[in-house]
Amino acid sequence: QPKTSGGGGGRSREDTVYEKAGELLGKLPPDYKEEEYKAKIMKLGGLDVPLNVFLFQEIQRLNSVIRRVRLDLTTMQQAIRGEVVMTSELLDALNAIYDAKTPNFWTYTIGGDEFSWIRPTLGLWFTSPLEREQQNTSWLNNGRPASYWMTGFFNPQGFLTAMKQEVTRLHKKDNPPWALDDVVYHTQVTEHEHVEHVRTPPKEGVYIHGLYLDGCAWSKPHNTLVESE
C-alpha cells in the first residue's frame, strides 16, 4: 500500500519519488560509447601513453555507475506504475531517495566494496557523476586539462603512478636513465587561487586541484601547514 508523504497534500511517497526519478534521469549524462571514446583516446596518443590508459579506465568505471543509476531509476518508475514487480531492493532505494539519501547499492557492491563515491546526501552524490563526466569528456575532446580535479577520480593513486611513469620516460635518454622506482613525488603549492587561473600545464608533472584539509589549515603568507583555527 502506498505511504502518504504526511504533508497533507495527499501525495504518496511513490508519487514524490517517481517525479524525483524523472528529474534525475533528465540530468544523468548519456552512456559513453566505447568505439567513440577509444577513437578519441587514439587521437591523444593511444594506450601506450600512461595517462591515456588511466583515462580509459576512469571512463569505463564511470560508465558502469551511469548505466546502473539509469537502469535503477527507470525500473523504479516502472515498478511504481505497476509494470514490473517492486522488489525489496527497489523499495529500499525508493525510501532512500524519498529521504534524500543515496541508495546503498549505488555506493557499494554486494560484497561491500566501494562502487562509486560516498556522499552524505543524494544531491551531493548526484553532482559527482556530472562533474566527473564533464572532466573526462573535456579531456577526450580538448586534450589534457591544465589542472586535474584529482578528487574526481576513482583511482587517484593510479593517476599519480601514471604521471610518474610519464616523467620517467621523459628522462629515459639521460645518463643514467631514470628508473621508475627511484622517482619520488614532490608537491609544491602554487599561488593560483582558482583553477581558471591555470592556463598551461607544468613542464613536468601535473597541476591538481580539489584537495581539502582536515585538522589543519594552509597559511598563504608562510606557504606552510598551520594549526586549524
Side-chain angles (χ1 to χ4, degrees):
Q1 186 72 16
K3 298 177 182 178
T4 57
S5 60
R11 295 192 62 187
S12 67
R13 296 165 70 92
E14 283 75 6
D15 292 336
T16 302
V17 172
Y18 186 92
E19 186 177 305
K20 185 64 177 178
E23 178 188 328
L24 295 177
L25 281 170
K27 294 179 180 178
L28 200 63
D31 293 351
Y32 286 97
K33 296 181 179 178
E34 188 169 345
E35 62 275 10
E36 291 182 4
Y37 68 76
K38 273 187 175 180
K40 290 179 179 179
I41 287 176
M42 292 305 294
K43 289 182 179 179
L44 295 175
L47 293 177
D48 290 332
V49 180
L51 277 173
N52 286 354
V53 175
F54 170 80
L55 175 61
F56 179 77
Q57 293 170 341
E58 285 290 308
I59 289 173
Q60 285 186 315
R61 191 158 173 189
L62 180 59
N63 211 23
S64 297
V65 175
I66 292 173
R67 285 178 174 173
R68 176 69 194 260
V69 172
R70 192 188 319 280
L71 175 63
D72 289 340
L73 289 174
T74 303
T75 307
M76 187 179 299
Q77 285 189 320
Q78 292 173 336
I80 292 172
R81 292 196 301 264
E83 297 171 1
V84 298
V85 175
M86 177 69 77
T87 63
S88 59
E89 188 178 58
L90 281 175
L91 187 58
D92 289 342
L94 186 150
N95 290 328
I97 292 174
Y98 182 79
D99 293 333
K101 296 179 181 178
T102 310
N104 190 63
F105 51 81
W106 288 3
T107 305
Y108 300 101
T109 65
I110 295 176
D113 298 320
E114 197 171 312
F115 176 63
S116 62
W117 43 86
I118 301 170
R119 295 290 185 273
T121 66
L122 178 61
L124 289 173
W125 186 93
F126 209 83
T127 59
S128 201
L130 308 181
E131 293 172 345
R132 288 167 186 247
E133 188 272 340
Q134 187 177 15
Q135 173 165 249
N136 292 345
T137 301
S138 177
W139 187 349
L140 282 174
N141 295 334
N142 306 318
R144 295 185 177 186
S147 178
Y148 298 84
W149 176 42
M150 197 171 79
T151 40
F153 292 139
F154 286 96
N155 183 16
Q157 186 60 49
F159 169 75
L160 293 176
T161 301
M163 177 271 294
K164 196 174 178 182
Q165 290 172 329
E166 292 198 355
V167 171
T168 303
R169 291 183 182 185
L170 288 174
H171 294 272
K172 66 180 180 181
K173 294 183 179 180
D174 289 11
N175 189 15
W178 287 19
L180 183 64
D181 292 340
D182 293 336
V183 177
V184 295
Y185 294 116
H186 172 72
T187 305
Q188 191 171 344
V189 180
T190 71
E191 295 181 356
H192 300 295
E193 291 199 20
H194 302 286
V195 64
E196 293 79 15
H197 297 163
V198 183
R199 301 296 182 186
T200 56
K203 291 182 180 179
E204 286 188 357
V206 290
Y207 288 133
I208 61 169
H209 61 274
L211 301 183
Y212 56 89
L213 296 174
D214 189 8
C216 58
W218 181 257
S219 170
K220 291 181 182 177
H222 299 98
N223 203 39
T224 185
L225 291 172
V226 295
E227 292 287 342
S228 174
E229 293 181 6

